[in-house]
């Protein structure tokens, strides 16, 4: 008899991606350890911006309220040429409970996540390194080195490398990390900047010498970065005077900087792992993808990697599942990262090339930021990461293509409020993000309450461990026994109308908030589950 594996998942890397992954796994009931080679949380404001989709996910952990209260919202941009304002753009809100991105420095995000993980009984094991790994059909084994020189061998059902750009996990697996880097070195400062108003706008300063970005930060601060001249050695640590001189030359002498918390040189890399999975080992976050910091998408993409992978590992650990489910992590997330990398390049390279542009090209660059309302709406959804589409994933099936296109399988579920659950007002998003898939059964003119209850009783006899079902009605009715399903009241009919199922039907929503399946014929769901997510 094979001995049991004592640990479900070993998470290597204790930054935002690893912390989010460990939290989601613990909420799924898995046994988790998380290690990190650093001594503690990095005090520097590396990533600064949480997009709307990340805020939705963090809200599911109860963390968004503090971020909103203490963070800085992003409402627009200002573009300057040779120190002169040439464009003031305002961002329209997106369709989300969090209609704008929020700047909240990475150190604070990690503290919130680490505290949440600690509440779940897991602490990051600091100053601990992965030095070797191997695997077989049963488990992964990992050799760890601790700060006191102690060596340890750990066995886990799965291992996830969230250990950053220089990932030991990726190197040990021999997975390629191809790509390129900018020709330019960069300077960055976390500072206070006088006259950089409004504080809720990013500034792009274009100049014959190069460009400067004033990204927003919380506490009234700015993260300022700029490309350096070709050939600049970028060695050692920059000074505030160097940054001030560069900003003065490229933006005029109006921005007086002070109180530097962090000054550094850095390189921009564009890299993508050739694979996201090798057997029982996975890559996530910066271990899998690197991009420019312009646009602020790297950390957010890592957070979504974690949310995508966690429920799949939980299902594989608890009951077994098809290989297609585990392979879907790479199938869904790698194209997202590839698009994100190219998008960040598109936002970065024009600033680098600006000195070599003709006047016509410079003018065209500025005009490219002046979008029609429709184009701006599409850009805003993309920027806030609300437009991700897993529609080509093997996990997404549509048995009712006549239902609203905006809610087809592969797209994010859309929020609706107010709804009533057990007499308390809720919105739909507060029913999602838990350990189970969310099944919404809509009674209507073509689907009686009794039929829905009978169907759910049969379905949950097999799948109750990973599906939570709700019966959606416009109002409470006596014929509902309410013993099989909790009753979700849609008093204004907004949920049924938005999802296009006034006559009855169902939506199955994944734990990461994306529609997996929908149908107006209930029996189609059983076929989907047997085909796509067969349990062992």
């Amino acid at each position: 008899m094979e001995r049991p594996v004592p640990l479900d998942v070993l998470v290597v890397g204790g930054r935002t991606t690893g912390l989010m992954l460990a939290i989601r796994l613990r909420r799924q009931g898995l046994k988790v350890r998380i290690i990190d080679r650093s001594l503690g949380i990095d005090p520097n404001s590396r990533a600064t911006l949480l997009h709307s989709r990340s805020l939705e996910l963090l809200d599911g952990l109860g963390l968004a309220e503090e971020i909103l209260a203490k963070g800085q919202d992003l409402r627009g941009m200002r573009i300057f040429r040779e120190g002169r304002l040439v464009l003031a753009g305002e961002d329209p809100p997106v369709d989300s409970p969090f209609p704008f991105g929020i700047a909240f420095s990475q150190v604070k995000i990690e503290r919130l996540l680490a505290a949440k993980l600690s509440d779940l009984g897991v602490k990051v094991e600091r100053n601990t390194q992965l030095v070797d790994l191997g695997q077989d059909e049963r488990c992964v084994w990992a050799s760890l080195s601790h700060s006191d020189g102690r060596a340890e061998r750990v066995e886990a059902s799965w291992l996830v490398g969230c250990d950053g750009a220089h990932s030991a996990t990726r190197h040990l697996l021999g997975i390629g990390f191809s790509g390129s880097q900018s020709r330019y070195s960069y300077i960055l400062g976390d500072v206070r900047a006088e006259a950089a108003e409004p504080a809720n706008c990013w500034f792009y300063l274009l100049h014959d010498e190069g460009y400067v970005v004033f990204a927003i930060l919380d506490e009234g601060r700015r993260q300022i970065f700029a490309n350096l001249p070709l050939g600049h050695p970028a060695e050692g640590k920059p000074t505030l005077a160097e940054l001030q001189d560069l900003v003065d030359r490229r933006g005029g002498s109006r921005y007086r900087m002070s109180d530097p918390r962090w000054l550094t040189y850095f390189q921009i890399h564009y890299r993508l792992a050739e694979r996201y999975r090798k057997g029982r080992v996975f890559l996530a976050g910066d271990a899998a993808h690197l991009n420019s910091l312009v646009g602020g998408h790297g950390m957010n993409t890592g957070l979504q990697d974690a949310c995508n992978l966690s429920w799949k590992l939980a299902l594989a650990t608890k009951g077994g599942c098809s290989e297609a489910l585990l392979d879907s992590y790479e199938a869904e997330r790698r194209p997202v990262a590839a698009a994100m990398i190219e998008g960040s390049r598109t936002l970065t390279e024009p600033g680098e090339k600006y000195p070599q542009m003709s006047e016509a090209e410079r003018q065209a660059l500025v005009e490219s930021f002046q979008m029609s309302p429709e184009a701006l709406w599409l850009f805003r959804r993309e920027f806030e990461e609300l437009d991700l589409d897993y529609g080509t994933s093997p996990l997404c099936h549509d048995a009712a293509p006549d239902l609203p296109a905006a809610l087809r399988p592969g797209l994010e579920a859309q929020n609706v409020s107010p709804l009533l659950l057990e007499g308390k007002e809720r919105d739909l998003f507060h029913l999602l993000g838990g350990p189970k898939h969310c099944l919404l059964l809509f009674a209507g003119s073509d689907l009686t309450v009794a039929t829905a209850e009978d169907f759910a009783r049969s379905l949950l006899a097999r799948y109750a461990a990973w599906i939570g079902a709700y019966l959606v009605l416009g109002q409470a009715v006596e014929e509902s026994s309410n013993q099989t399903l909790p009753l979700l009241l849609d008093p204004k009919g907004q949920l049924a109308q938005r999802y296009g199922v006034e006559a009855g039907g169902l939506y199955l929503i994944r734990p990461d908030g994306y529609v997996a399946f929908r149908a107006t014929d209930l029996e189609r769901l059983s076929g989907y589950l047997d085909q796509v997510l067969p349990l062992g």
Side-chain angles (χ1 to χ4, degrees), residues 321-464:
C321 62
S322 65
E323 282 293 307
L325 185 138
L326 294 174
D327 287 339
S328 72
Y329 168 63
E330 178 177 321
E332 293 177 353
R333 294 304 301 165
R334 193 172 185 275
V336 169
M340 179 268 297
I341 291 167
E342 288 310 304
S344 75
R345 190 195 302 269
T346 299
L347 292 173
T348 302
E349 290 187 344
E352 296 176 340
K353 296 176 180 177
Y354 182 83
Q356 290 78 47
M357 289 181 179
S358 66
E359 177 58 30
E361 290 171 329
R362 293 180 176 188
Q363 186 61 31
L365 172 61
V366 173
E367 291 175 356
S368 70
F369 289 93
Q370 297 175 308
M371 304 179 191
S372 67
E374 181 180 359
L376 182 57
W377 180 82
L378 292 172
F379 173 80
R380 289 282 295 128
R381 283 188 53 80
E382 178 184 12
F383 189 76
E384 299 299 339
E385 300 187 354
L386 298 172
D387 68 337
L388 300 190
D389 186 353
Y390 298 143
T392 60
S393 167
L395 303 187
C396 297
H397 286 219
D398 194 354
D402 293 338
L403 295 181
L407 281 159
R408 60 175 171 76
L411 299 179
E412 183 192 355
Q414 296 182 6
N415 198 30
V416 174
S417 66
L419 305 171
L420 294 175
L421 181 65
E422 298 178 346
K424 297 181 180 180
E425 194 168 291
R426 295 284 188 270
D427 66 11
L428 179 60
F429 276 8
H430 281 94
L431 305 183
L432 309 180
K436 297 182 179 182
H437 282 61
C438 178
L439 176 61
L440 301 176
L441 284 170
F442 294 83
S445 57
D446 295 340
L447 177 61
T448 67
V449 170
T451 299
E453 290 268 3
D454 289 343
F455 172 79
R457 189 175 295 110
S458 174
L459 180 80
L460 295 179
R462 183 178 182 193
Y463 293 103

Side-chain angles (χ1 to χ4, degrees), residues 416-420 425-426 472-476 488-498 502:
V416 174
S417 66
L419 305 171
L420 294 175
E425 194 168 291
R426 295 284 188 270
V472 183
L473 295 174
Q475 59 184 357
L488 183 63
L489 295 181
D490 180 20
K492 297 183 180 181
Q494 295 179 96
L495 183 60
Q497 182 178 11
R498 189 165 198 179
E502 295 96 327

